[in-house]
Amino acid sequence: MKLADIDKLFDDAGGVRVVAALEVRESGVDPIGLRQINLDLMDNVAPGINNVTQHVRYYTFVAWAAWKASTQAAMEGVDDPQVIADLMERYEALYAWSHLLDGRPFRGATSLRQTIARTPEGQAFRFEGEVWEKYKRTRTNIMAPTEYGPSIKALRYLSLDEAIVTKQVMPAVMDFEARVQEVLSPHLLAVAPPSIKASEIEGFATRLSVEDPSDVERAVFRLMFHEIGSDELASPAMRRRKGTIDYLIGVLKELGPSTLDDIRKRFVVNRLPANIGGAVEHVTHSAIMLAYLQARQLQRLATEAMLLWTERVLTEENVGGAARSIPTEELVDRADAAAASLDDSYRASVTVGGYLTSIVSMGGHTGWPESATQPGTAVVDLMVSLREAQQKDPTQIPGLAARSFAVVKAVNDALKLTDLPQTSQRVIDGRPDRLPMSLMSTRLEAISERPRASMWAEIIQGWVIGQHVHWSAVRGGDGNQRLRIALEEAGWMRVRKRATGNFVPTADRLYTMLALGASCGLIQRTDDGRFGA
């Protein structure tokens, strides 16, 4: 309803009206708009996977379901695409239901629990009708964009239209089919909608667990995930993925059994291990990009942590109990004092450039970017400290953020001397509206001769509030309230009632790459959760 329509209503029938409370949907994902560069870097070094992909068997299952639905329909003389699609959904529902019965539900099992799984014990569920249609409408299937779908297509298990299983994958499909025939009765897979009792499908999960791929499945996945990258017809994404996996395996051979943070610390160094496998060109490229990624992760987390700090300061109340607006100058003074109380190097510095130089000098004989693994300047350690400060003591955030930005600049300045293809350089330096590391470094250099507190005017006004207001406006067309901070006559003011949650680093796909590598036998996983080669 437009404002003019509301005015007309009151003109036609004046008087007081009782109206419902205004409901504003709040949204807070990526409030400063920095996430996309992190995702671009991950797409560059780990194309074809996401933060969900962990199990090899999902790839086999979806390829088998597509092949089985097509061949089953053809065998029964049916060529209706809708029937084939319904068959695939039934096969997936059977697989998901069996795992739920076995106490190992798939992600997004709520829809299954509310529909098929409500079938009374001992009774059969018929795969047609209102409840079946409700399940299909509400479920999140394996091929969803937030699940395995993009990866299954990217690794060429299915064609882009999901209609064709690639020939390299067929050995895994046929191996899975042979095992299915030992577990499920043929009528459960036929075109005609069956009535199925839970007892008829329990073996689907126990005998064909999603966590336990066969040797054939592992071999096929190794081919599609890794080995295919050395083929002369391999796509750029295949070559980059293989280069990253080869680098990761080399790092694990050098380090021995390692945690995720052990590996991330080694990535910062940008040094090739001895006796690296694969094409050196692609491994070198992956090493550089992974070093950049670690620094970018810190830059994003430090900037978002400063948003949390700013909101916390703006939440303070005056004597009358009402939240007061705070001018930029006061925010700058508070940040400067907080940083000086935590960081000796910052307190001893007079200018912005003096502080940045003091952090660079901490590299000593080690040099950069390797110094970003040392005590006091370690990227991974600073991220841990920023997370803890948000939870326990936000007053520490400015000091940690100042150190983080100085470290990010030192790493960026060292890595920019490396040779990268133009396409990769655009991933790092592109998207100026997302505050890339090169732009952050340029802005710090521009104020290097100014008093150290000038850093906070740049960070708070430009990187935090400016970026936040810009992206709140850009994304504001869907009716959600994203704005957290607004400018009043006397200064900045918080405009949201709901407290900001703590920020964490962008999930970097390292775990899922390691999990897939362990699942297919490329690397090993120890009993205590470490990974090795």
Side-chain angles (χ1 to χ4, degrees):
M1 182 178 290
K2 297 179 180 178
L3 184 59
D5 298 326
I6 297 174
D7 289 339
K8 187 175 186 306
L9 283 175
F10 278 93
D11 289 341
D12 294 342
V16 177
R17 289 171 173 79
V18 177
V19 298
L22 177 65
E23 293 185 4
V24 178
R25 294 176 300 170
E26 292 186 346
S27 178
V29 176
D30 196 21
I32 312 183
L34 304 188
R35 179 175 60 174
Q36 193 56 53
I37 290 180
N38 297 59
L39 298 178
D40 291 345
L41 283 163
M42 294 168 202
D43 285 335
N44 188 275
V45 297
I49 64 173
N50 58 32
N51 291 313
V52 173
T53 52
Q54 297 182 36
H55 299 295
V56 166
R57 177 150 277 170
Y58 278 119
Y59 294 84
T60 304
F61 172 79
V62 170
W64 168 83
W67 170 84
K68 183 65 175 178
S70 297
T71 56
Q72 183 70 35
M75 186 175 66
E76 297 187 38
V78 177
D79 61 1
D80 184 345
Q82 185 55 51
V83 171
I84 295 172
D86 195 78
L87 269 179
M88 285 186 66
E89 292 190 277
R90 187 207 306 167
Y91 298 163
E92 183 176 331
L94 292 176
Y95 200 44
W97 188 15
S98 68
H99 277 78
L100 179 62
L101 292 169
D102 199 42
R104 293 174 291 128
F106 291 174
R107 280 165 45 95
T110 301
S111 177
L112 183 61
R113 290 190 178 99
Q114 294 175 346
T115 53
I116 298 172
R118 285 190 172 182
T119 304
E121 187 174 354
Q123 294 187 24
F125 175 80
R126 187 161 182 80
F127 280 80
E128 65 178 352
E130 182 179 342
V131 177
W132 172 233
E133 293 301 323
K134 179 183 177 182
Y135 170 75
K136 291 193 292 182
R137 287 195 310 271
T138 58
R139 60 89 176 88
T140 300
N141 71 351
I142 299 172
M143 287 300 296
T146 55
E147 298 296 317
Y148 279 69
S151 184
I152 286 170
K153 294 177 184 179
L155 267 60
R156 310 292 176 89
Y157 268 69
L158 288 180
S159 59
L160 292 179
D161 61 2
E162 303 178 25
I164 301 173
V165 179
T166 51
K167 65 179 181 179
Q168 295 96 331
V169 174
M170 283 307 298
V173 169
M174 298 312 297
D175 180 76
F176 193 82
E177 165 70 1
R179 296 166 189 271
V180 169
Q181 293 300 321
E182 298 174 357
V183 174
L184 298 183
S185 174
H187 82 279
L188 305 183
L189 307 175
V191 170
S195 295
I196 301 176
K197 295 181 180 179
S199 58
E200 296 180 83
I201 61 163
E202 289 173 338
F204 207 1
T206 56
R207 298 275 301 279
L208 286 163
S209 167
V210 76
E211 293 94 356
D212 188 25
S214 69
D215 290 341
V216 174
E217 292 174 75
R218 291 188 180 96
V220 168
F221 189 83
R222 285 197 299 272
L223 170 65
M224 306 306 286
F225 184 52
H226 179 239
E227 296 163 9
I228 201 169
S230 60
D231 190 284
E232 62 180 10
L233 299 178
S235 68
M238 292 173 179
R239 293 191 177 99
R240 290 199 308 273
R241 187 171 59 245
K242 185 177 187 300
T244 298
I245 295 170
D246 288 336
Y247 178 53
L248 177 58
I249 292 172
V251 165
L252 290 174
K253 287 180 179 177
E254 175 187 288
L255 296 179
S258 305
T259 65
L260 297 181
D261 279 350
D262 291 336
I263 298 168
R264 292 186 182 108
K265 288 178 181 178
R266 178 59 179 79
F267 281 167
V268 178
V269 176
N270 182 32
R271 184 185 70 244
L272 297 190
N275 303 317
I276 199 75
V280 174
E281 173 191 356
H282 301 305
V283 176
T284 301
H285 173 273
S286 291
I288 297 169
M289 297 300 281
L290 282 165
Y292 268 116
L293 176 57
Q294 311 316 306
R296 175 63 184 189
Q297 292 279 65
L298 177 59
Q299 181 200 3
R300 182 189 178 197
L301 182 60
T303 309
E304 290 178 336
M306 280 303 300
L307 173 62
L308 181 142
W309 178 86
T310 303
E311 283 195 278
R312 294 290 175 87
V313 173
L314 296 178
T315 303
E316 296 179 359
E317 298 180 346
N318 62 19
V319 178
R324 67 185 182 92
S325 52
I326 300 178
T328 301
E329 293 76 15
E330 183 175 339
L331 292 172
V332 167
D333 288 344
R334 289 197 188 193
D336 180 61
S341 68
L342 185 73
D343 188 332
D344 292 340
S345 296
Y346 183 89
R347 184 169 58 252
S349 301
V350 176
T351 64
V352 174
Y355 175 63
L356 298 175
T357 299
S358 72
I359 300 304
V360 172
S361 67
M362 292 177 70
H365 299 296
T366 307
W368 294 88
E370 188 161 354
S371 293
T373 66
Q374 304 301 311
T377 53
V379 165
V380 173
D381 293 346
L382 284 166
M383 285 196 279
V384 171
S385 296
L386 282 165
R387 293 185 66 175
E388 291 178 350
Q390 291 178 79
Q391 297 168 351
K392 299 176 182 178
D393 186 5
T395 63
Q396 294 185 4
I397 290 175
L400 292 169
R403 177 66 61 96
S404 297
F405 295 133
V407 167
V408 171
K409 185 179 186 305
V411 172
N412 180 76
D413 291 349
L415 291 175
K416 72 181 181 182
L417 302 175
T418 57
D419 188 25
L420 278 173
Q422 264 195 341
T423 52
S424 296
Q425 201 63 55
R426 283 196 294 269
V427 170
I428 298 164
D429 295 333
R431 302 186 187 272
D433 55 345
R434 308 275 185 170
L435 193 62
M437 289 179 288
S438 58
L439 180 57
M440 184 208 77
S441 296
T442 299
R443 289 184 177 179
L444 287 175
E445 288 169 1
I447 59 174
S448 63
E449 300 300 322
R450 296 181 186 176
R452 71 183 187 202
S454 301
M455 176 189 296
W456 297 111
E458 171 70 25
I459 292 168
I460 294 171
Q461 283 195 140
W463 306 359
V464 175
I465 298 178
Q467 282 280 130
H468 171 59
V469 172
H470 168 75
W471 284 104
S472 296
V474 167
R475 299 188 180 119
D478 60 0
N480 288 335
Q481 163 68 318
R482 290 180 169 82
L483 192 65
R484 301 166 184 254
I485 298 171
L487 183 62
E488 296 288 330
E489 185 175 349
W492 300 104
M493 194 167 187
R494 181 174 169 177
V495 297
R496 297 180 69 161
K497 293 181 180 179
R498 191 171 64 182
T500 300
N502 295 331
F503 295 103
V504 297
T506 311
D508 61 4
R509 307 184 193 177
L510 175 59
Y511 175 76
T512 51
M513 179 174 287
L514 289 163
L516 288 170
S519 185
C520 73
L522 277 170
I523 61 176
Q524 285 78 50
R525 190 182 217 158
T526 63
D527 292 338
D528 62 356
R530 295 171 183 261
F531 293 91

